[in-house]
Amino acid sequence: MIITHTADAHGNRRLYIGGKGSLDCWLEPEADGRRWTFHLEEAFAGNRLTPADKHDWAVHRLLQLAEALAVAPEDLVSVPFEAIAALHAADPYAGRRVPVGRRKLPENAFLATAPGITRPRADFHAGERPRHQRQR
C-alpha cells in the first residue's frame, strides 16, 4: 500500500493512503496527536462514483491499511497517527500530489515530506541547507 506523508506551508499534516485513483483518501491527525480522522474526496481527474461505490472504496482502503499495519480492522482506530506515518514511502517525491515544479509550489498545497519535517522542503532557503546539498 502506498502511504504518503504530506504537509502544507502552515504545518498541517496528512497521510494519503493508496495510490491515485477516482478518490483521494487521507488521514488527518487530531489535536491530541494520537487519534486521526479519515477523509475522502473525488480526485480532479477521476471518474464520478456513486455514494455506494465511494463507501466500498473507503472500506477497501481502510482494510488495506489494517493489513499493512498487521492489525485487525476493528483495532485500526487505536493505531496512533505517528505509527501510520512511519509507513511513508522512502522517496518523498514519488507520486507527488502537486504537479508543479519544486520551486513554484502553491502555499495551500499538501506536499510529500518525510515524517518529522516541520516545513515543506521548498520552504527552506539555500543558506539553511547543508553545504553538500547547495552544490547541486
Side-chain angles (χ1 to χ4, degrees), residues 29-48:
E30 291 284 330
D32 65 5
R34 180 170 172 73
R35 294 179 297 157
W36 46 268
T37 56
F38 175 79
H39 304 267
L40 66 104
E41 187 175 283
E42 289 186 359
F44 290 115
N47 297 321
R48 303 292 284 175

Side-chain angles (χ1 to χ4, degrees), residues 18-24 41-47 49 57 61 97:
K20 301 221 179 220
S22 293
L23 289 177
D24 284 333
E41 187 175 283
E42 289 186 359
F44 290 115
N47 297 321
L49 297 173
W57 188 284
R61 287 287 187 231
R97 297 285 172 177

Side-chain angles (χ1 to χ4, degrees), residues 102-134:
R102 292 182 191 167
R103 295 176 191 250
K104 299 178 182 177
L105 299 173
E107 291 183 17
N108 60 349
F110 280 84
L111 308 169
T113 180
I117 301 249
T118 57
R119 310 187 313 203
R121 185 173 178 167
D123 193 31
F124 289 96
H125 302 287
E128 295 176 309
R129 293 191 182 138
R131 186 176 306 275
H132 70 278
Q133 287 184 348
R134 286 186 228 162

Side-chain angles (χ1 to χ4, degrees), residues 53-66:
D53 288 339
K54 289 179 188 179
H55 177 266
D56 291 344
W57 188 284
V59 169
H60 176 71
R61 287 287 187 231
L62 290 171
L63 288 174
Q64 282 184 318
L65 181 60

